[in-house]
Amino acid sequence: MSIDESTAARVAKLARIRVEEEALPALAGEFNTILGFIEQLNEVDVEGVEPMTGVTPMRLKRREDVVTDGNQQDKILSNAPDAREGFFAVPRVVE
């Protein structure tokens, strides 16, 4: 697959990137270089290779899933600019 200048201009327009007319050949060349790298990746044999989420094998820490109420109402409401009767107080927006 090869990208010409008109396609590069269209991609730039879709990406809302202003590209001067004289810079279009260079942009098309960069797109073609990127596509060349992708074609090289398609040649790699990945049969039997497990997908990875990162380069270092690690397992996420697990904790017991327990529902709690937090018991932190006073601490949370202490940060509020206005709190009344155990709730955040906000200005009325609908009359």
Side-chain angles (χ1 to χ4, degrees), residues 1 6 8-9 13 16 22 24-25 27 30-31 33 35 41 48 71 73-75 83-85 87-89:
M1 176 179 229
S6 65
K13 181 181 178 186
R16 291 184 167 80
E22 60 272 2
L24 284 175
L27 182 62
E30 289 180 28
F31 284 153
T33 302
L35 290 175
L41 290 175
N71 292 326
Q73 181 181 18
D74 294 334
K75 289 170 77 176
R84 298 179 197 153
E85 301 173 12
F87 297 98
F88 291 103

Side-chain angles (χ1 to χ4, degrees), residues 8-88:
R10 184 167 185 265
V11 170
K13 181 181 178 186
L14 291 172
R16 291 184 167 80
I17 300 171
R18 184 175 357 132
V19 178
E20 301 298 328
E21 193 71 31
E22 60 272 2
L24 284 175
L27 182 62
E30 289 180 28
F31 284 153
N32 286 320
T33 302
I34 292 168
L35 290 175
F37 288 139
I38 293 170
E39 288 174 3
Q40 284 181 355
L41 290 175
N42 285 334
E43 296 173 4
V44 176
D45 181 23
V46 293
E47 187 67 33
V49 177
E50 288 287 322
M52 297 173 41
T53 58
V55 294
T56 56
M58 52 191 328
R59 190 171 163 87
L60 294 175
K61 295 179 182 176
R62 307 242 181 220
R63 63 172 173 79
E64 189 176 335
D65 190 14
V66 179
V67 177
T68 64
D69 64 356
N71 292 326
Q72 298 183 10
Q73 181 181 18
D74 294 334
K75 289 170 77 176
I76 293 170
L77 290 176
S78 68
N79 292 323
D82 189 9
R84 298 179 197 153
E85 301 173 12
F87 297 98
F88 291 103

